[in-house]
């Protein structure tokens, strides 16, 4: 762990910033803010990135992902006073800034708002931006947390305002720290509650009938990709069919790749592919590295509008699908099911993904799923044939012995 001691911010005390290296990527940040008495008043540890869509001089749109936060500064971060609440301010890159404001009530404190600013005058990040100015997106979060609890959310949290998508994960934060000691009592986000407290349900009576969805034809296969400063970093080809149950009504939706937008981000240990359309707010596929030599699908998050106007959401950050070695791709041409929850499953068709180590925008050698691997039938067929042959030989032998005994009957 490498720690950097920053200069004193007037009225805020000493800022101690630790960039956690090695176990997590370098964009993981840990902030311990102390007051004039050197007692901790605000603690935060989190990871984040930003995806920005901007218009170019040729009247087309490009997407850029901002994730390198290793050069961050924290000027303006403060513990707060009688008139103003605590605040985290982060500056990084060329003209990027991020601010979180906190407020306090009698028995709760709130993450009041989050704002993010970017400057398209930066020709390195936005070389052909049509509009050269500073843009700011503001989100009034107003998320309440019990006083003296630390908020934790390992799952991906997403904010989307205008042309900016913000992703946060592995979040721990506590404002208004009591007596200089960070609390061990955690207040979990809803996504973490879903993934950590899910228990099997045993019905005590017959369940109410659920309507059966009308069968759908196979969906079209879409081609999706994610780019960063080094070029294409994630590739995915797949047809997606969503199966969901909401208020005892089952439905099946085929994703149309021709009307689906996609964004995402790539890091050394995680990668994200996000799909969205007119009725899908977001469908996130989060990949992760395990044992330093393999990747897999770790998490799926979805939020979408149903025909009746209601919103359907599901999340699971403890999956284990699409496992393959790093430096290769995963392929499964036949239909495969990803079970996200009891109410939400995804059927995939013509699947091929490579979320890491993409070279020159092309797939590497594929590891095929067991459904596609017809070679497994060969030993089965050979084994079955040998077994049948052995049985025939044994039966013939027994019949032969029986006839030989019959020829030596007692006179």
């Amino acid at each position: 762990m490498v720690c950097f001691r920053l200069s004193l911010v007037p009225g805020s005390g000493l800022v101690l910033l630790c960039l956690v290296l090695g176990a997590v990527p370098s964009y993981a940040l840990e902030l311990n803010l102390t007051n004039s008495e050197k007692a901790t008043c605000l603690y935060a540890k989190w990871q984040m990135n930003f995806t920005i869509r901007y218009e170019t001089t040729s009247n087309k749109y490009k997407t850029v992902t901002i994730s390198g936060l290793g050069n961050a500064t924290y000027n303006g971060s403060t513990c707060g006073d009688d008139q103003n609440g605590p605040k985290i301010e982060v500056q990084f890159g060329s003209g990027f800034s991020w601010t979180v404001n906190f407020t306090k009530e009698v028995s709760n404190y709130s993450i009041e708002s989050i704002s993010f600013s970017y400057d398209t005058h930066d020709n390195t990040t936005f070389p052909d931006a049509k509009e050269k100015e500073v843009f700011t997106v503001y989100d009034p979060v107003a998320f309440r947390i019990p006083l003296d609890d630390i908020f934790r959310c390992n799952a991906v949290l997403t904010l989307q305002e205008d042309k900016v998508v913000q992703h946060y994960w592995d979040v721990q934060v506590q404002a208004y720290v009591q007596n200089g000691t960070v609390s061990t009592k955690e207040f979990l986000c809803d996504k973490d509650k879903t993934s950590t407290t899910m228990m099997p349900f045993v019905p005590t009576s017959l369940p109410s009938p659920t309507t059966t969805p009308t069968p759908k034809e196979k969906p079209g296969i879409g081609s999706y990709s994610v780019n960063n400063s080094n070029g294409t970093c994630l590739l995915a080809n797949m047809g997606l069919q969503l199966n969901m149950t909401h208020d005892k009504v089952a439905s099946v939706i085929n994703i149309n790749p021709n009307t689906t937008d996609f964004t995402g981000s790539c890091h050394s240990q995680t990668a994200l592919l996000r799909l969205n359309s007119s009725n899908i707010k977001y469908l996130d596929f989060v990949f992760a590295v395990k044992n330093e030599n393999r990747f897999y699908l770790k998490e799926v998050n979805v939020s979408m509008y149903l025909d009746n106007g209601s919103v359907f959401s599901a999340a699971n950050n403890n999956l284990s699908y699409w496992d393959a070695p790093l430096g290769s791709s995963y392929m499964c041409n036949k239909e495969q099911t990803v079970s996200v929850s009891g109410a939400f499953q995804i059927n995939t068709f013509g699947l091929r993904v490579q979320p890491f180590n993409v070279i020159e925008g092309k797939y590497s050698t594929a590891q095929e799923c067991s459904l596609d691997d017809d070679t497994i039938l060969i030993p089965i067929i050979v084994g079955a044939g040998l077994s049948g042959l052995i049985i025939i030989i044994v039966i013939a032998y027994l019949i032969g012995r029986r006839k030989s005994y019959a020829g030596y009957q007692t006179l």
Side-chain angles (χ1 to χ4, degrees):
M1 181 177 291
V2 181
C3 298
F4 298 89
R5 187 176 297 274
L6 304 183
S7 59
L8 285 171
V9 179
S12 67
L14 183 65
V15 178
L16 182 66
L17 171 68
C18 297
L19 298 181
V20 184
L21 304 177
V24 293
S26 60
Y27 50 85
L29 303 176
E30 184 173 1
L31 173 67
N32 189 40
L33 196 62
T34 60
N35 57 24
S36 57
E37 299 176 353
K38 297 185 178 181
T40 298
C41 60
L42 188 152
Y43 176 80
K45 183 179 180 181
W46 75 105
Q47 298 190 52
M48 63 181 179
N49 64 36
F50 309 88
T51 300
I52 304 170
R53 187 168 181 258
Y54 69 96
E55 188 175 5
T56 67
T57 52
S58 58
N59 296 323
K60 296 181 179 180
Y61 282 90
K62 284 187 177 181
T63 299
V64 61
T65 298
I66 310 300
S67 57
L69 310 182
N71 61 345
T73 58
Y74 292 77
N75 299 323
S77 297
T78 174
C79 294
D81 51 34
D82 294 337
Q83 285 76 36
N84 302 294
K87 177 171 58 175
I88 299 175
E89 290 197 9
V90 184
Q91 305 85 32
F92 54 94
S94 300
F96 297 100
S97 63
W98 180 77
T99 303
V100 182
N101 290 289
F102 300 88
T103 57
K104 181 181 177 181
E105 300 175 9
V106 177
S107 58
N108 298 283
Y109 67 94
S110 297
I111 303 174
E112 188 66 19
S113 63
I114 296 177
S115 61
F116 171 66
S117 298
Y118 59 98
D119 189 351
T120 54
H121 288 98
D122 176 11
N123 291 323
T124 302
T125 308
F126 310 98
D128 50 357
K130 184 176 181 179
E131 298 178 332
K132 296 291 187 178
E133 59 181 286
V134 177
F135 294 88
T136 299
V137 293
Y138 175 85
D139 197 301
V141 181
F143 185 81
R144 300 173 67 185
I145 304 163
L147 202 62
D148 203 28
D149 280 14
I150 184 170
F151 172 70
R152 177 174 72 80
C153 193
N154 293 329
V156 177
L157 298 174
T158 302
L159 297 178
Q160 184 166 0
E161 291 290 335
D162 196 18
K163 300 175 183 178
V164 177
V165 180
Q166 306 173 53
H167 297 294
Y168 305 96
W169 66 99
D170 291 345
V171 176
Q172 296 182 60
V173 62
Q174 183 182 1
Y176 302 98
V177 174
Q178 305 295 299
N179 302 319
T181 303
V182 177
S183 177
T184 58
K185 185 179 179 181
E186 295 181 331
F187 184 80
L188 301 182
C189 64
D190 290 340
K191 287 186 176 182
D192 278 12
K193 290 177 184 177
T194 300
S195 61
T196 58
T197 62
M198 188 176 298
M199 299 293 291
F201 172 69
V202 180
T204 56
S205 60
L206 290 176
S208 301
T210 300
T211 60
T212 302
T214 303
K216 290 261 188 180
E217 295 184 355
K218 290 183 179 180
I221 296 178
S223 296
Y224 311 103
S225 62
V226 176
N227 298 326
N228 60 13
S229 58
N230 297 321
T232 301
C233 57
L234 182 151
L235 293 171
N237 286 53
M238 51 189 170
L240 297 173
Q241 187 176 81
L242 311 183
N243 300 266
M244 65 203 71
T245 302
H246 184 69
D247 292 338
K248 301 176 184 177
V249 177
S251 57
V252 178
I253 296 176
N254 285 346
I255 289 186
N256 182 356
N258 296 324
T259 59
T260 301
D261 295 324
F262 53 92
T263 58
S265 59
C266 301
H267 308 290
S268 61
Q269 298 293 314
T270 59
L272 167 71
L273 173 64
R274 158 167 289 204
L275 308 181
N276 63 280
S277 63
S278 57
N279 64 322
I280 299 176
K281 296 173 65 177
Y282 58 82
L283 173 58
D284 291 344
F285 296 90
V286 181
F287 301 88
V289 173
K290 67 177 180 181
N291 301 327
E292 301 300 328
N293 60 2
R294 300 188 71 86
F295 72 83
Y296 69 105
L297 177 66
K298 180 182 186 294
E299 180 175 348
V300 170
N301 306 302
V302 65
S303 181
M304 60 186 301
Y305 300 103
L306 302 180
D307 292 339
N308 61 6
S310 60
V311 176
F312 175 85
S313 298
N316 191 332
N317 67 350
N318 194 29
L319 301 176
S320 186
Y321 292 98
W322 308 350
D323 188 301
L326 282 176
S328 68
S329 59
Y330 176 87
M331 183 169 67
C332 197
N333 289 315
K334 295 182 180 179
E335 180 178 354
Q336 191 180 33
T337 300
V338 174
S339 182
V340 179
S341 69
F344 182 64
Q345 298 84 37
I346 303 175
N347 294 337
T348 63
F349 302 82
L351 171 69
R352 189 170 187 181
V353 294
Q354 185 170 344
F356 300 98
N357 299 352
V358 177
I359 300 176
E360 296 181 352
K362 298 178 181 179
Y363 284 107
S364 300
T365 303
Q367 174 168 309
E368 297 185 37
C369 65
S370 57
L371 296 174
D372 286 353
D373 191 2
D374 294 333
T375 59
I376 196 173
L377 295 176
I378 296 176
I380 294 175
I381 294 172
V382 173
L386 290 174
S387 299
L389 181 60
I390 292 172
I391 292 172
I392 292 172
I393 293 172
V394 171
I395 292 174
Y397 172 73
L398 293 175
I399 293 174
R401 283 179 58 86
R402 186 174 181 181
K403 287 182 177 180
S404 66
Y405 285 134
Y408 292 94
Q409 293 180 0
T410 304
L411 294 178

